[in-house]
Amino acid sequence: MKRILSLSLLAAACTHAWSASPAQPAVKDHFKNYFLIGTALPVRHVNGLDPKGDSIVSLHFNAIVAENCMKNAEIQPEEGKFNWTDADKLVKYGEDRGMTVTGHALIWHSQLAPWFAKDKDGNLVSPEVLKKRMRDHIHAVVGRYKGRIKGWDVVNEPIEDDGSYRKSPFYQILGEEFIPLAFQYAHEADPDAELYINDYSMFLPGKRRAYVKIVNDLKKRGLRIDGIGMQSHIGMDYPDLAEYEKSIEEYASTGCQVMITELDMSALPTVQMGADVGSIWKMTREERREAMKKLNVYPDGLPEDVSKAWNDRMAQVMAIYKKHADKISRVTWWGTHDGTSWKNGFPIPGRTDYPLLFDRDYNLKPFMQEIIAQ
Ligand code: XIL
């Protein structure tokens, strides 16, 4: 008996020594008592076309979200015709790895199927028609993954920077009511799913005021809302981190979880959405080439001082998240490695950016290596 025991102990020790090498601490393990560590996955990833990416996602992350394949125009491109293939694979990918899966996004003005808010003559539909389409869409999508998706970004980006409502088709047709309706439909479809509202520039005072009011109003009406998503597409010169922190605190004061839902930090000069982006398209080819030299400044790699500044600022951002870990339930990067980040093409195409947790060679960025080595 004793001999059998010692043999099996020896076997266990050998297996352990084997599987533990090479010993690379996982980011998700470091943060396990703080919050989930997530990443947005493109379709090519869940289709097995990025094996290296797969190994880092499987090791370091415990939460995923669909980068595109659950958006309205992708999943219901024509009325009543659903394209489930990629979304099904994404949900299964998460389940196979024991990850938390978030659904993104049910009601959003962007990547909205052209038919969704229009009639056959191209005019906006009536409130009754839009309500039915919203309800049918939400019931179909949320219903399909009932019990398998932890929570949904129910409404995405409904508010402008100054706190006013975006004049989206949803707002034009239904007014402010489209938000409570979307939350009601989502709750009907999966009463156990968590429900979130999500937006960018959440550090701005206008957005802060608007979202605290929206969330409190939903709660007063007895509607379910669990989380406020701060997308956090940030840069080297914005946001002011004190304002950002203030937003985390104020959103948490509503009783909702705060989620960092789409984190990335551009290392490139900030492009003004209105002025710069508008004028770029009016330029001649030659002018554009010249302008790009000032906007795409590191096509061949980040200079050391810029890389250091980027890593230092990301370390500061992570320290803020840790400090408020009692309020934050998930920190999700919008992508995994720099080469596939949407920021290479936004707000203007043709740039080489460095915004994510892993570099183009799939190496973990230094700020995070330091954090997890502690
Ligand atoms: C982006 C995707 O990353 C791109 O691939 C796509 O072309 C456009 O949308 N806010 C959101 C995300 O809520 O869905 C957006 O994702 C980025 C901004």
Side-chain angles (χ1 to χ4, degrees), residues 201-343:
S201 297
M202 293 294 271
F203 55 88
L204 292 174
K207 294 234 180 182
R208 207 185 283 147
R209 268 194 309 276
Y211 279 105
V212 168
K213 179 164 179 347
I214 287 172
V215 168
N216 286 336
D217 287 351
L218 288 173
K219 288 188 176 219
K220 254 184 242 150
R221 291 165 71 155
L223 290 165
R224 176 167 187 167
I225 175 155
D226 300 87
I228 302 181
M230 300 175 70
Q231 290 184 4
S232 307
H233 298 291
I234 63 179
M236 298 294 291
D237 54 358
Y238 70 96
D240 174 304
L241 294 184
E243 287 294 307
Y244 189 60
E245 205 174 342
K246 196 164 164 199
S247 283
I248 295 174
E249 284 165 348
E250 284 200 25
Y251 295 139
S253 76
T254 63
C256 275
Q257 313 161 31
V258 175
M259 300 181 153
I260 308 302
T261 51
E262 303 185 14
L263 180 60
D264 48 31
M265 184 163 76
S266 176
L268 301 182
T270 300
V271 170
Q272 299 305 326
M273 284 301 292
D276 289 346
V277 176
S279 66
I280 280 256
W281 295 115
K282 291 189 198 116
M283 289 175 183
T284 63
R285 254 199 179 168
E286 196 46 45
E287 286 169 339
R288 196 175 310 145
R289 197 173 307 136
E290 281 309 303
M292 283 304 277
K293 280 189 196 155
K294 287 192 210 120
L295 297 172
N296 185 32
V297 280
Y298 313 122
D300 305 317
L302 267 192
E304 217 159 283
D305 57 331
V306 184
S307 169
K308 182 171 182 325
W310 188 94
N311 277 281
D312 287 352
R313 185 165 157 84
M314 259 297 183
Q316 274 180 280
V317 170
M318 291 311 298
I320 292 176
Y321 298 157
K322 268 194 173 175
K323 175 174 163 198
H324 295 289
D326 58 328
K327 308 171 185 70
I328 297 176
S329 54
R330 173 169 57 94
V331 173
T332 288
W333 270 267
W334 201 246
T336 311
H337 48 96
D338 289 341
T340 53
S341 165
W342 77 304
K343 293 298 289 181

Side-chain angles (χ1 to χ4, degrees), residues 67-68 71 104 108 111 156-157 231 233 262 334 342:
E67 184 172 2
N68 286 301
K71 292 172 180 173
H104 172 86
W108 188 27
Q111 292 176 273
N156 197 25
E157 304 181 352
Q231 290 184 4
H233 298 291
E262 303 185 14
W334 201 246
W342 77 304

Side-chain angles (χ1 to χ4, degrees), residues 6 10 25 46 56 63 77 96 102 104-105 112 148 157 189 222 235 239 258 302 324 329 336 362-364 370-371:
S6 56
L10 185 69
V46 291
I56 59 174
D96 288 348
T102 301
H104 172 86
L112 178 66
R148 301 171 67 197
E157 304 181 352
V258 175
L302 267 192
H324 295 289
S329 54
T336 311
Y362 300 82
N363 296 314
L364 186 60
E370 256 176 54
I371 292 175

Side-chain angles (χ1 to χ4, degrees), residues 152-164:
W152 283 93
D153 291 337
V154 178
V155 179
N156 197 25
E157 304 181 352
I159 297 295
E160 300 279 6
D161 286 356
D162 64 0
S164 62

Side-chain angles (χ1 to χ4, degrees), residues 100-144:
T100 297
V101 184
T102 301
H104 172 86
L106 296 170
I107 296 296
W108 188 27
H109 67 280
S110 186
Q111 292 176 273
L112 178 66
W115 65 271
F116 201 82
K118 303 239 175 89
D119 64 18
K120 58 181 182 345
D121 302 319
N123 300 315
L124 292 179
V125 293
S126 68
E128 286 320 307
V129 171
L130 184 62
K131 278 192 218 170
K132 180 170 182 325
R133 289 183 183 175
M134 282 173 55
R135 187 171 184 280
D136 288 350
H137 180 77
I138 292 174
H139 273 245
V141 178
V142 176
R144 183 171 182 93

